[in-house]
Amino acid sequence: MCGIVGYNGTMQAAPILLEGLEKLEYRGYDSSGLAIRDGAKDIEIVKAKGRLRVLAEKTDEGMALAGNCGIGHTRWATHGEPSETNAHPHVSEDRNVVGVHNGIIENYQELKEKLQRHDYTFYSETDTEIAIKLIDYYMKKYREGPVDSIARAMTRIRGSYALVVMFKDYPDEIYCARKDSPLIVGVTEDASFAASDVPAILKYTRNVYYIGNQQIARLGKGTAEFFDIDREAVEIEPSEIKWDAEAAEKGGFEHFMIKEIHEQPAAVRDTIGSLVQDGKIVYGESGLTDEIIRNTSEILIVACGSAYHVGLAAQYVFEGLARIPVRVELASEFRYRNPILNQNDLVVVISQSGETADSLAALRLAKESGIRTLGIINVVGSSIAREADHVFYTLAGPEIAVATTKAYSAQLIVAYALAIQYAYVRGQIDEDRYTAMIAEIQTLPAKMERVLDDKERIQWFAAKYSNAKDMFFIGRGIDYAISMEGSLKMKEISYVHSEAYAAGELKHGTISLVENGTLVVGVCTQNRLFEKTRSNMVEVKSRGAYLMGLTSYGNYSIEDTADFTVYVPKTDEYFMTSLAIIPLQLLGYYLSVARGLNVDKPRNLAKSVTVE
Ligand code: G6P
């Protein structure tokens, strides 16, 4: 996720772009850049590492760059760590094409090799530079104009992109193209704008054009024309934005958390895109190899908070599929316990921020003991990402709400992919099962969307039980891991006392806490354990509990026991966490809203805990 703004008009472009980028900083903030042009003069480019403020100061709030046409970008790194070199805009060698990009180009390696065969060289680690040079390549090869060259590049690029590009020989125009990444266009009497999101241009216009998937736009000073990938002109009707500035920043949602809950299918889709190519799991730039996988004797997953819960779910998947022993440890405990580590162990650290102090310390402890480490990290270039021997990135984009949702979901995907790869390489599953499981992972985003479609029922339920004082989440196996995360969400943002219990453990203590009206959520997504957990649900019901059941479509007999039931689509049972967690995130969210709490910034909690 990154923020893009383009301006082509009669005013000075740089201050307008900086102001627009500031409104998009929630989309990315590790580096930024501007490209400004003054008529036919050379395009000036200024970039800076760090928050947007650094760029604003470097350019004297934009006053140092003269010109009334330009593009700007605020970055959230996916390919290549945050640095001035990797910051956008990117440019072809002769400065013929200058552009900014948001999205992930999946076949960047193949395109890079193609361009290298034609003597292109690369200065950055970004996939964006490749896209820009690909457009340049087609422009020179076919001697055609911008729309044709962009369209030719689009037919070669796989993945998602929003591209905003300027061409040396077309001084009064900006070009845009998009596929699966957001990009809007706004037009006033004498100017046109492009932006990743509405807040960037709301000050200037409320009439926006939503560029369609795989469409191209040509922006003049107060004009916009649209084309499809076959370069035919298309008509797009403008839409009027009715949100105020604050709502616009959250995409019309009331809070970042609910926005991010809805971004989960996209986060999961992007993460799968980075891990799967031609139906196979790829190691990418992680440096992991089949040999390392074959030689691993034990996996230790170390993390904090929700990332630890990903570890708990992953343990079932790894052990079940790959038959390799897995230990899951809280980083804060692991580091002070003098843990027993063996030479061929693999320590996997899961962290959204990549900066959590305990997780980082655990990683260092493993490294000092000479143990191989692997990070599953959301922030490129963060401390854990830099120090781990191998890194797989989650492509969730920046997460603003303190309670994690989309990063958690993306972490699960990396864990599944690694477990499947371990199982396959170690001969525990055959090729058919391998292929089928990868195909099943790819169905998860659409299934997650179906779960989200059903959110009103949860909203109703949460409103009805907003006065709950105690809550219990019970489940067995993977359902226990799901319960742990569901319960944490409830505590974090709704301040409802809540506990997750292994359903079979209830009778050893917790059941004494159940009284008339106590809310209990029974998670039953695992067929083998369905009847067992259901009998635990009957036990609490007979002591007066009010029961919510969570299972997959088809298991309708749960309604004989539960007072309220939520169904999620069926998937491979190893991947159920990805679907079943969504109703529980929604439950925590809507309960918090119903209680009038500060959902995005719950009391006493921080997004990234960099102290012990
Ligand atoms: C904090 C956050 C949690 C998060 C945990 C681990 O407690 O509030 O949402 O799960 O830290 O953070 P990390 O960045 O390492 O995933």
Side-chain angles (χ1 to χ4, degrees):
M1 217 152 111
C2 300
I4 292 179
V5 189
Y7 172 79
N8 184 15
T10 52
M11 296 192 282
Q12 285 301 302
I16 294 174
L17 295 179
L18 281 173
E19 197 183 13
L21 289 176
E22 204 182 298
K23 299 271 187 295
L24 298 182
E25 240 189 327
Y26 66 89
R27 300 183 58 86
Y29 42 74
D30 61 44
S31 54
S32 54
L34 292 172
I36 306 289
R37 68 189 309 173
D38 192 2
K41 287 191 204 155
D42 193 22
I43 301 173
E44 259 191 279
I45 299 173
V46 183
K47 308 201 250 185
K49 185 180 167 192
R51 303 293 293 221
L52 192 62
R53 202 70 306 272
V54 185
L55 181 70
E57 277 160 23
K58 201 169 173 182
T59 58
D60 191 13
E61 308 298 323
M63 306 304 269
L65 294 169
N68 43 32
C69 180
I71 55 182
H73 188 266
T74 175
R75 181 167 184 248
W76 176 263
T78 51
H79 285 91
E81 62 172 27
S83 68
E84 207 170 299
T85 311
N86 287 332
H88 303 208
H90 285 287
V91 62
S92 63
E93 208 171 322
D94 57 3
R95 299 171 81 84
N96 175 39
V97 191
V98 181
V100 292
H101 162 231
N102 167 38
I104 293 134
I105 295 171
E106 286 163 14
N107 59 336
Y108 70 97
Q109 196 56 41
E110 165 201 325
L111 296 175
K112 188 174 184 179
E113 283 159 19
K114 169 189 164 69
L115 290 169
Q116 277 166 335
R117 286 196 294 276
H118 293 279
D119 298 328
Y120 278 82
T121 56
F122 296 88
Y123 59 84
S124 77
E125 300 159 287
T126 64
D127 51 353
T128 307
E129 187 191 351
I130 296 165
I132 298 302
K133 291 187 172 169
L134 189 68
I135 296 171
D136 177 66
Y137 165 78
Y138 283 123
M139 192 163 226
K140 295 202 164 88
K141 180 170 179 190
Y142 293 101
R143 295 170 193 278
E144 293 170 335
V147 171
D148 304 281
S149 311
I150 293 172
R152 285 186 191 278
M154 286 163 77
T155 57
R156 284 304 301 266
I157 294 173
R158 276 207 318 272
S160 62
Y161 51 83
L163 280 164
V164 179
V165 186
M166 298 193 292
F167 294 84
K168 186 157 78 186
D169 297 333
Y170 298 80
D172 288 322
E173 286 163 2
I174 289 179
Y175 291 83
C176 312
R178 72 167 281 263
K179 177 177 169 268
D180 297 336
S181 284
L183 193 63
I184 55 163
V185 162
V187 180
T188 62
E189 204 150 280
D190 55 8
S192 57
F193 298 81
S196 301
D197 207 349
V198 174
I201 62 172
L202 208 53
K203 186 172 160 190
Y204 300 97
T205 178
R206 284 187 168 270
N207 288 325
V208 306
Y209 297 86
Y210 288 94
I211 307 177
N213 232 9
Q214 296 204 291
Q215 288 184 346
I216 302 166
R218 173 163 54 207
L219 309 184
K221 293 187 188 299
T223 62
E225 298 157 87
F226 302 96
F227 306 88
D228 63 19
I229 197 167
D230 299 319
R231 311 168 217 180
E232 302 286 341
V234 289
E235 288 291 322
I236 300 180
E237 289 298 317
S239 316
E240 197 196 332
I241 301 292
K242 300 208 168 76
W243 306 324
D244 61 20
E246 204 196 325
E249 200 185 12
K250 298 180 188 117
F253 289 103
E254 206 182 331
H255 301 99
F256 277 111
M257 182 175 175
I258 189 73
K259 175 172 179 265
E260 288 163 3
I261 286 175
H262 282 84
E263 282 170 356
Q264 291 184 109
V268 162
R269 199 173 284 128
D270 285 345
T271 305
I272 296 170
S274 72
L275 292 166
V276 178
Q277 255 168 42
D278 303 324
K280 291 201 155 43
I281 289 158
V282 290
Y283 299 129
E285 283 156 21
S286 70
L288 194 65
T289 60
D290 286 358
E291 200 192 338
I292 297 170
I293 288 183
R294 269 193 289 270
N295 290 339
T296 310
S297 52
E298 188 177 15
I299 295 175
L300 282 98
I301 304 179
V302 189
C304 302
S306 297
Y308 168 73
H309 295 156
V310 170
L312 291 180
Q315 181 180 35
Y316 292 100
V317 188
F318 268 104
E319 292 196 338
L321 275 180
R323 306 304 299 148
I324 181 167
V326 177
R327 277 192 277 159
V328 190
E329 308 254 359
L330 288 165
S332 54
E333 288 295 312
F334 176 83
R335 59 183 290 201
Y336 293 118
R337 212 185 29 153
N338 194 8
I340 297 168
L341 298 169
N342 296 307
Q343 211 47 47
N344 287 330
D345 287 353
L346 177 71
V347 169
V348 176
V349 180
I350 307 179
S351 173
Q352 186 283 127
S353 61
E355 300 294 350
T356 301
D358 286 322
S359 305
L360 180 59
L363 175 96
R364 288 180 178 158
L365 175 73
K367 287 196 78 176
E368 278 158 22
S369 317
I371 308 298
R372 190 182 288 281
T373 55
L374 183 150
I376 299 177
I377 308 293
N378 197 42
V379 179
V380 176
S382 57
S383 303
I384 300 176
R386 281 199 313 270
E387 293 184 29
D389 298 315
H390 309 280
V391 183
F392 284 89
Y393 286 109
T394 45
L395 301 184
E399 210 176 41
I400 308 293
V402 165
T404 180
T405 51
K406 60 176 180 167
Y408 166 89
S409 285
Q411 286 162 354
L412 280 173
I413 296 298
V414 179
Y416 299 157
L418 284 174
I420 294 170
Q421 193 66 5
Y422 260 81
Y424 181 57
V425 170
R426 294 164 72 102
Q428 294 292 334
I429 55 172
D430 63 15
E431 182 141 11
D432 285 351
R433 180 98 196 272
Y434 179 71
T435 313
M437 291 201 95
I438 294 171
E440 186 56 36
I441 285 190
Q442 289 171 315
T443 68
L444 288 174
K447 289 176 180 169
M448 294 171 92
E449 269 152 17
R450 271 183 67 196
V451 182
L452 286 167
D453 285 344
D454 210 18
K455 65 181 179 214
E456 267 87 16
R457 290 190 70 233
I458 311 255
Q459 186 171 12
W460 168 84
F461 182 76
K464 198 163 166 216
Y465 284 91
S466 61
N467 288 329
K469 289 215 166 35
D470 295 291
M471 237 174 128
F472 297 94
F473 290 76
I474 58 170
R476 290 165 183 256
I478 286 180
D479 291 335
Y480 175 46
I482 297 169
S483 298
M484 296 280 281
E485 176 62 6
S487 172
L488 179 62
K489 287 279 124 353
M490 189 56 65
K491 284 184 270 224
E492 279 181 310
I493 53 171
S494 308
Y495 312 156
V496 174
H497 165 250
S498 144
E499 297 202 29
Y501 245 77
E505 190 66 12
L506 267 180
K507 52 186 164 300
H508 300 294
T510 325
I511 202 157
S512 65
L513 294 170
V514 174
E515 51 190 30
N516 249 351
T518 306
L519 204 51
V520 179
V521 178
V523 185
C524 304
T525 69
Q526 307 290 304
N527 260 337
R528 196 165 53 90
L529 303 166
F530 182 84
E531 284 308 329
K532 296 264 175 228
T533 304
R534 206 167 65 136
S535 31
N536 298 129
M537 289 166 71
V538 172
E539 279 162 22
V540 292
K541 193 171 181 182
S542 64
R543 281 149 183 96
Y546 187 88
L547 265 179
M548 170 176 149
L550 174 57
T551 187
S552 54
Y553 287 105
N555 293 332
Y556 302 119
S557 63
I558 198 167
E559 290 184 24
D560 302 341
T561 312
D563 300 292
F564 174 77
T565 310
V566 176
Y567 295 103
V568 297
K570 282 212 181 301
T571 181
D572 189 298
E573 290 189 359
Y574 283 121
F575 309 149
M576 264 300 176
T577 316
S578 294
L579 303 180
I581 198 56
I582 296 177
L584 302 185
Q585 294 168 339
L586 289 167
L587 188 60
Y589 170 76
Y590 284 124
L591 229 105
S592 176
V593 173
R595 291 160 77 106
L597 301 172
N598 189 345
V599 181
D600 285 335
K601 287 197 179 115
R603 67 184 179 207
N604 309 338
L605 296 178
K607 181 79 191 149
S608 173
V609 183
T610 51
V611 292
E612 282 187 39

